[in-house]
Amino acid sequence: MAAADELAFHAEFEEATNLLAQTPDAAITRSDQLTPQGHVAVVMDSGGSYGADDEVESDKAALLQEEKQQPGFWTFGYYQSFFDVDTSQVLDRIKGSLLPRPGHNFVRHHLRNRPDLYGPFWICATLAFVLAITGNLTLVLAQRRDPSIHYSPQFHKVTVAGITIYCYAWLVPLALWGFLRWRRGVRERVGPYTFLETVCVYGYSLFVFIPTVVLWLIPVPWLQWLFGALALALSAAGLVFTLWPVVREDTRLAATVLLSTVVLLHTLLAMGCKFYFFQPLPLEHVAPPHQAMSQPPNTLPPTLPRSMAT
Amino acid sequence: MRSRVREFDSSTLNESVQNTIMRDLKAVGKKFMHVLYPRKSNTLLRDWDLWGPLILCVTLALMLQRGSVDSEKDGGPQFAEVFVIVWFGAVTITLNSKLLGGNISFFQSLCVLGYCILPLTVAMLVCRLVLLAELGPINFMVRFFVVIVMFAWSIVASTAFLADSQPPNRKALAVYPVFLFYFVISWMILTFTPQ
């Protein structure tokens, strides 16, 4: 009996959370205008046919959401609202992005209508610098194995890394958000995510690449590909599980096209980073095999370029 | 670029230039001492100035130059790149800590972050001297050790001044960008190789 009650409560709670999270702009009347049954009345913008679930979600709405007065975008307070996170919340969101689960929507369960800009911004910054630094370190390690390679700090890679990562993490969510809003007319029931939530999802999904890039220092090619594939799988899975509830209502064709484009872009980013920042050797230092045979002192053994190639 | 309020404002117009310069230099030197021996004092915060960070940034950027003969595209950071990284990095960290709800003023935070580059500038000096000797693994280990120690010193010094201005549940969020900032500067110093 108690177990059945618990299950019912859990189901109602989940549904209330989902419904509440989907309609962030529900207007809530004040508690001094109680209806005779003693529940706070909630006026919903869209999709009002939820019947008995109104009671649970109205209580939840009253507890969780004050009236939101958005300060103007020219004030500092407007931007401060995007950094309203604690250390524990950021760590929880990072954990949520590292371990995607099929029913576990990142936006609903971890963001809970409070997207932040701290995570995406600093994860992108860290990833850009880590890419440039580890790319440089692979060159250092390669030079120690073979002193004929010319080492240089390659500082321009920092700029390239920064621009690539930031453009990806901000322009792709913009395109995705625009596309989802355009398709909104097809699906009335489930609202799309806001722009910031999309940016958040992408930003936190890039976190898994940071340890992967560091592990790419290990100069074993198949291990590098394994780590890369693992990171890509986790990251893309997180994105797909988050987008699935929004896209599920759409036509099958649009859903598959959207999801496969998202995964494809992510794959392109991962492979582009791998090839650009972890190039094995500058080509002019690789001696051709017949020359290697005839000049023993300053040759590379013929197998070495192949093992260093990704 | 100074915030100190003086009672006899009009009288400083008539003093000699040497007095003015020495007063500013003494203020900068006093703050250097505070950075080298970080204690919980408010001198850096109260009397902020940006001369010290400017001197340190220019010195660091000049020392990181490899000389104009280096025409390769993939060389070390140019002067402008170091400058941009230091100043825009400091501005970004300051904005970040203000957005997280810290109660430190903009220029105070810039002042602290700039002054705490001093240990890393000293590390750069030491590295350039060490690089005059022959290159090798021992050379690298010495430089690595010096840079690591100075990096830790910078972080300790800056968090001693900045950490109190944040609410307690966000301290780590505000300190992590500082860590990243000094880490990038340390990497630039460590990967510096002469022609």
Side-chain angles (χ1 to χ4, degrees):
Chain A
M1 184 74 74
D5 285 348
E6 264 179 21
L7 282 178
F9 171 72
H10 187 71
E12 279 182 5
F13 185 83
E14 282 294 312
E15 186 155 4
T17 313
N18 285 339
L19 286 170
L20 176 68
Q22 283 159 17
T23 56
D25 42 339
I28 300 167
T29 61
R30 287 228 181 254
S31 57
D32 50 37
Q33 299 168 20
L34 288 179
T35 62
Q37 287 82 20
H39 293 286
V40 176
V42 176
V43 175
M44 306 271 279
D45 261 358
S46 59
S49 59
Y50 297 119
D53 296 322
D54 271 342
E55 297 174 0
V56 177
E57 82 178 67
S58 66
D59 287 348
K60 199 98 178 69
L63 283 172
L64 282 186
Q65 236 178 340
E66 305 87 37
E67 287 178 359
K68 274 194 195 162
Q69 307 137 340
Q70 284 282 342
F73 70 90
W74 57 89
T75 61
F76 193 68
Y78 177 75
Y79 299 103
Q80 225 167 2
S81 62
F82 302 137
F83 279 77
D84 193 15
V85 278
D86 295 337
T87 311
S88 56
Q89 282 176 334
V90 171
L91 289 176
D92 171 64
R93 290 172 187 194
I94 290 178
K95 263 200 304 248
S97 79
L98 281 178
L99 306 164
R101 281 184 281 162
H104 218 70
N105 190 336
F106 182 76
V107 173
R108 301 291 172 235
H109 288 265
H110 289 276
L111 292 188
R112 289 184 189 271
N113 277 339
R114 298 170 67 98
D116 68 301
L117 280 181
Y118 178 91
F121 183 80
W122 287 109
I123 291 177
C124 291
T126 312
L127 184 60
F129 282 119
V130 166
L131 265 178
I133 291 176
T134 46
N136 201 221
L137 273 176
T138 42
L139 196 58
V140 168
L141 293 177
Q143 193 205 23
R144 291 182 56 161
R145 280 196 302 267
D146 171 30
S148 73
I149 299 172
H150 175 70
Y151 165 75
S152 58
Q154 295 178 319
F155 194 75
H156 69 288
K157 291 204 168 173
V158 172
T159 324
V160 171
I163 293 179
T164 316
I165 301 286
Y166 272 100
C167 280
Y168 180 80
W170 290 80
L171 293 182
V172 172
L174 182 67
L176 183 66
W177 172 76
F179 181 78
L180 285 177
R181 280 197 81 95
W182 173 57
R183 300 292 293 179
R184 191 185 186 179
V186 177
R187 308 157 283 115
E188 279 94 18
R189 186 170 172 253
V190 177
Y193 301 134
T194 66
F195 173 59
L196 277 175
E197 286 169 344
T198 326
V199 166
C200 250
V201 170
Y202 264 88
Y204 280 103
S205 76
L206 285 177
F207 178 83
V208 72
F209 286 112
I210 296 178
T212 314
V213 164
V214 174
L215 285 172
W216 275 345
L217 276 177
I218 306 173
V220 179
W222 64 265
L223 206 60
Q224 288 178 344
W225 283 109
L226 179 69
F227 286 137
L230 198 64
L232 184 63
L234 277 177
S235 193
L239 285 177
V240 165
F241 292 150
T242 306
L243 286 175
W244 178 242
V246 179
V247 146
R248 171 174 62 189
E249 310 289 323
D250 207 342
T251 65
R252 222 185 168 94
L253 176 67
T256 37
V257 163
L258 181 72
L259 289 178
S260 47
T261 314
V262 161
V263 172
L264 183 70
L265 283 175
H266 225 64
T267 317
L268 280 178
L269 179 79
M271 306 229 328
C273 286
K274 174 128 190 11
F275 284 122
Y276 182 71
F277 292 100
F278 293 87
Q279 268 164 8
L281 296 170
L283 284 175
E284 59 264 24
H285 293 278
V286 175
H290 72 272
Q291 207 173 355
M293 295 302 182
S294 59
Q295 299 172 21
N298 56 343
T299 54
L300 295 167
T303 56
L304 197 58
R306 271 201 295 283
S307 72
M308 280 193 184
T310 50
Chain B
M1 287 166 108
R2 287 173 35 216
S3 70
R4 200 183 311 147
V5 175
R6 294 189 294 270
E7 299 95 332
F8 311 111
D9 262 348
S10 55
S11 70
T12 60
L13 256 173
N14 294 329
E15 65 182 7
S16 66
V17 174
Q18 183 190 4
N19 275 359
T20 315
I21 293 181
M22 285 314 294
R23 188 174 52 237
D24 279 339
L25 278 179
K26 277 199 201 121
V28 169
K30 204 162 107 171
K31 293 200 187 68
F32 279 170
M33 285 298 123
H34 274 279
V35 169
L36 286 178
Y37 303 105
R39 289 183 303 271
K40 288 245 185 246
S41 86
N42 281 335
T43 313
L44 266 191
L45 293 180
R46 222 177 26 228
D47 303 329
W48 60 266
D49 73 85
L50 292 177
W51 284 116
L54 182 68
I55 295 173
L56 289 172
C57 180
V58 168
T59 315
L60 188 66
L62 281 176
M63 284 200 283
L64 278 171
Q65 291 296 293
R66 288 181 64 170
S68 57
V69 294
D70 182 37
S71 61
E72 288 181 34
K73 190 168 164 269
D74 51 352
Q78 300 299 312
F79 183 91
E81 284 166 336
V82 177
F83 218 77
V84 160
I85 283 196
V86 168
W87 286 100
F88 273 93
V91 166
T92 311
I93 296 175
T94 308
L95 275 179
N96 176 67
S97 92
K98 283 189 79 73
L99 284 168
L100 282 173
N103 59 0
I104 194 172
S105 97
F106 184 76
F107 286 109
Q108 282 172 351
S109 172
L110 276 188
C111 169
V112 168
L113 288 168
Y115 269 103
C116 291
I117 297 180
L118 176 65
L120 286 170
T121 313
V122 169
M124 183 74 221
L125 265 169
V126 171
C127 280
R128 275 214 96 141
L129 290 174
V130 168
L131 279 169
L132 291 175
E134 54 163 294
L135 294 177
I138 303 179
N139 193 304
F140 178 75
M141 292 310 293
V142 168
R143 283 187 292 137
F144 184 73
F145 178 71
V146 166
V147 169
I148 289 269
V149 166
M150 292 302 176
F151 167 63
W153 201 332
S154 282
I155 301 248
V156 165
S158 61
T159 48
F161 295 113
L162 286 179
D164 287 337
S165 67
Q166 287 292 329
N169 51 347
R170 294 183 186 182
K171 273 205 195 350
L173 292 186
V175 166
Y176 170 72
V178 177
F179 170 86
L180 186 66
F181 176 62
Y182 289 127
F183 182 76
V184 169
I185 297 183
S186 312
W187 168 66
M188 286 198 297
I189 292 175
L190 194 57
T191 59
F192 172 79
T193 50
Q195 260 313 70

